[in-house]
């Protein structure tokens, strides 16, 4: 008999039919314009809308604490920061707060942007592994991201149950990931000496050298 059958691996690995089903299911979720709360009076709290802008805060924080490794890494650090500020936050606000109960293409745009954003955030963490970063900071980042994905999954389940309160709580916690990540990096930057490994420090050192050189020339 085939080795896969002998080892029982064939029973574990997804079949072609199952893979096709999962792909179609993901595609349907990605492109749907109606949420489970369609035409439901949610009366979302104001802070729910404010939390949609947490991604912009994270983008600004990335600019403020930009690490030296971003200069040599292929990871698009500054582009990702701008992406969070100019695209992700506005789309999140439009889809999740302004149109959660509406049939709207804002939902499609938000998911089409948020999905690669999650992959980019994971890539950023992977890039940290190959550069000078404290193990505690890296672990904190990973735990925060895992918790955020868990909260997102719970918010999706709450939608299916039409549980408005659970949805608001878990989706807010999903949107809190940028704040958690920013707190982690700001603590490292200001309390653990992370500024020594920042691009700003690199710039200040270069400016100081140029000033010293100018003095010698004069």
């Amino acid at each position: 008999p085939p080795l896969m059958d002998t080892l029982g691996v064939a029973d574990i690995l997804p079949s072609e039919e199952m893979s096709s089903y999962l792909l179609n299911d993901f595609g349907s979720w990605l492109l749907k314009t109606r949420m489970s709360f369609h035409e439901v009076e949610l009366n979302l709290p104001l802070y729910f809308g404010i939390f949609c802008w947490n991604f912009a805060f994270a983008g600004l924080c990335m600019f403020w604490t930009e690490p030296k490794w971003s200069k040599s890494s292929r990871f698009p650090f500054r582009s990702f920061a701008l992406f969070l500020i100019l695209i992700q936050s506005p789309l999140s606000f439009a889809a999740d707060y302004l149109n959660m109960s509406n049939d709207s293409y804002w939902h499609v745009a938000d998911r089409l942007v948020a999905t690669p954003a999650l992959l980019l955030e994971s890539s950023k963490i992977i890039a940290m592994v190959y550069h000078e970063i404290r193990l505690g900071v890296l672990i904190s980042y990973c735990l925060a991201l895992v918790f955020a994905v868990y909260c997102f999954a719970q918010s999706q389940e709450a939608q299916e149950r039409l549980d408005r309160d659970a949805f608001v709580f878990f989706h807010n916690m999903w949107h809190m990931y940028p704040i958690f990540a920013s707190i982690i990096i700001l603590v490292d930057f200001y309390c653990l000496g992370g500024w020594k490994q920042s691009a700003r420090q690199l710039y200040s050192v270069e400016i100081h050298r140029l000033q010293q050189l100018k003095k010698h020339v004069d």
Side-chain angles (χ1 to χ4, degrees):
L3 179 61
M4 296 283 271
D5 293 340
T6 303
L7 298 177
V9 176
D11 296 329
I12 300 175
L13 294 176
S15 64
E16 183 178 343
E17 182 179 352
M18 178 61 73
S19 299
S20 177
Y21 172 78
L22 292 174
L23 187 61
N24 290 335
D25 193 48
F26 175 74
S28 299
W29 170 81
L30 195 67
L31 300 176
K32 69 178 181 178
T33 59
R34 290 186 181 184
M35 310 302 289
S36 299
F37 287 122
H38 179 58
E39 295 185 343
V40 174
E41 193 66 33
L42 287 177
N43 293 318
L44 293 171
L46 178 61
Y47 63 81
F48 187 90
I50 294 174
F51 281 7
C52 293
W53 295 95
N54 288 348
F55 300 99
F57 177 83
L60 293 172
C61 183
M62 286 175 66
F63 275 116
W64 185 256
T65 62
E66 184 181 2
K68 288 180 183 178
W69 62 259
S70 66
K71 300 303 177 184
S72 58
S73 173
R74 294 182 179 179
F75 181 79
F77 195 89
R78 289 192 168 190
S79 297
F80 186 39
L82 284 173
F83 175 85
L84 293 174
I85 297 170
L86 301 177
I87 299 178
Q88 181 62 75
S89 273
L91 283 180
S92 179
F93 181 76
D96 294 344
Y97 186 66
L98 298 180
N99 291 285
M100 179 53 68
S101 300
N102 301 328
D103 186 343
S104 172
Y105 282 102
W106 285 112
H107 299 301
V108 179
D110 182 40
R111 284 189 292 269
L112 288 174
V113 165
T115 302
L118 180 60
L119 295 176
L120 278 170
E121 180 65 15
S122 301
S123 299
K124 185 181 77 173
I125 294 175
I126 293 172
M128 292 177 180
V129 176
Y130 295 97
H131 299 85
E132 296 179 12
I133 184 169
R134 291 174 180 80
L135 181 60
V137 174
L138 181 62
I139 292 175
S140 298
Y141 249 109
C142 293
L143 290 177
L145 184 59
V146 169
F147 177 69
V149 173
Y150 167 78
C151 288
F152 176 76
Q154 290 299 309
S155 76
Q156 296 298 295
E157 290 189 11
Q159 280 194 64
E160 295 300 322
R161 301 194 308 269
L162 298 181
D163 188 338
R164 181 260 191 195
D165 292 339
F167 167 74
V168 168
F169 174 78
F170 282 112
H171 212 71
N172 272 334
M173 295 308 293
W174 158 247
H175 283 172
M176 281 300 293
Y177 170 75
I179 300 298
F180 295 150
S182 297
I183 290 173
I184 292 168
I185 208 65
L186 286 172
V187 168
D188 177 61
F189 189 82
Y190 285 108
C191 302
L192 303 178
W195 60 273
K196 296 178 182 179
Q197 301 298 327
S198 69
R200 288 173 56 208
Q201 174 66 6
L202 181 64
Y203 296 146
S204 64
V205 169
E206 291 301 321
I207 291 173
H208 179 72
R209 287 177 179 174
L210 289 174
Q211 289 174 342
Q212 293 299 315
L213 180 61
K214 184 179 180 181
K215 286 182 181 180
H216 285 301
V217 172
D218 295 339

